[in-house]
Amino acid sequence: MRRYKVAAENIFVFMHTNTFNNDPFYSNGASARFSETTNDTGEVVALAVRLGERLWRDGFRYSKCGVMITELLPETIRQPALWGEMDREKRERAWRAMDKLNSTLGRDTVRILGAGPKDAAWKLRAEHRSPRWTTRWDELPKVRSK
């Protein structure tokens, strides 16, 4: 979000089990509004974790979970929170420094603790992902003449 200079107003977290096996089924989701629009990764992760903890039920084998950020606005549009004002400038300087290090030294050189270890077994798998023709130029089909 910081790269594109946008900030989020809402977040939605969901999780569900597999509907195609004989395990008990569970599906749920929750949304929340940020106290003020934000593109602060720490705030986003903290709220996503709180919502995920609220949804979690022991005894289920989850097959999918996700986080969606909604209502993106230009970062210049910010209605300040009435209560609990934080030092936004200090946090923004820290995120700019982290972004600069990652762009210079490589992606994920500096990460937030909530992202988990780099070698986590639960990384995103995308072996069966559909082609992204509408969002990736390099994945557009190529037409060749004979």
Side-chain angles (χ1 to χ4, degrees):
M1 290 187 298
R2 290 188 304 275
R3 178 187 312 160
Y4 297 105
K5 302 204 181 315
V6 294
E9 279 193 344
N10 290 314
I11 185 170
F12 177 72
V13 176
F14 68 92
M15 59 182 64
H16 63 79
T17 59
N18 189 343
T19 58
F20 301 106
N21 62 17
N22 293 327
D23 289 346
F25 181 72
Y26 173 75
S27 176
N28 207 346
S31 64
R33 191 172 208 79
F34 293 103
S35 58
E36 62 183 76
T37 58
T38 187
N39 58 11
D40 185 317
T41 306
E43 288 182 68
V44 172
V45 169
L47 188 51
V49 167
R50 282 197 308 273
L51 290 173
E53 288 171 345
R54 186 182 337 156
L55 298 174
W56 182 266
R57 300 293 180 266
D58 286 332
F60 291 99
R61 291 189 324 156
Y62 294 98
S63 63
K64 188 172 190 176
C65 67
V67 176
M68 290 186 276
I69 305 298
T70 61
E71 296 185 43
L72 297 175
L73 301 168
E75 67 182 1
T76 55
I77 299 175
R78 178 171 282 154
Q79 176 70 37
L82 188 58
W83 311 108
E85 186 64 29
M86 64 173 64
D87 188 354
R88 287 244 175 243
E89 183 56 37
K90 183 178 179 181
R91 289 180 67 96
E92 286 173 10
R93 282 195 314 269
W95 290 117
R96 279 195 299 269
M98 184 177 130
D99 292 341
K100 186 172 182 178
L101 285 169
N102 283 331
S103 68
T104 305
L105 302 174
R107 184 177 177 171
D108 288 340
T109 300
V110 180
R111 301 163 32 106
I112 61 169
L113 185 60
K118 276 188 178 181
D119 57 352
W122 44 264
K123 284 185 179 179
L124 173 69
R125 295 181 317 210
E127 301 93 40
H128 304 292
R129 180 181 56 218
S130 300
R132 300 171 290 181
W133 298 330
T134 59
T135 58
R136 301 284 180 129
W137 287 103
D138 60 322
E139 292 185 19
L140 278 170
K142 293 174 181 50
V143 178
R144 290 183 287 217
S145 61
K146 290 185 175 187

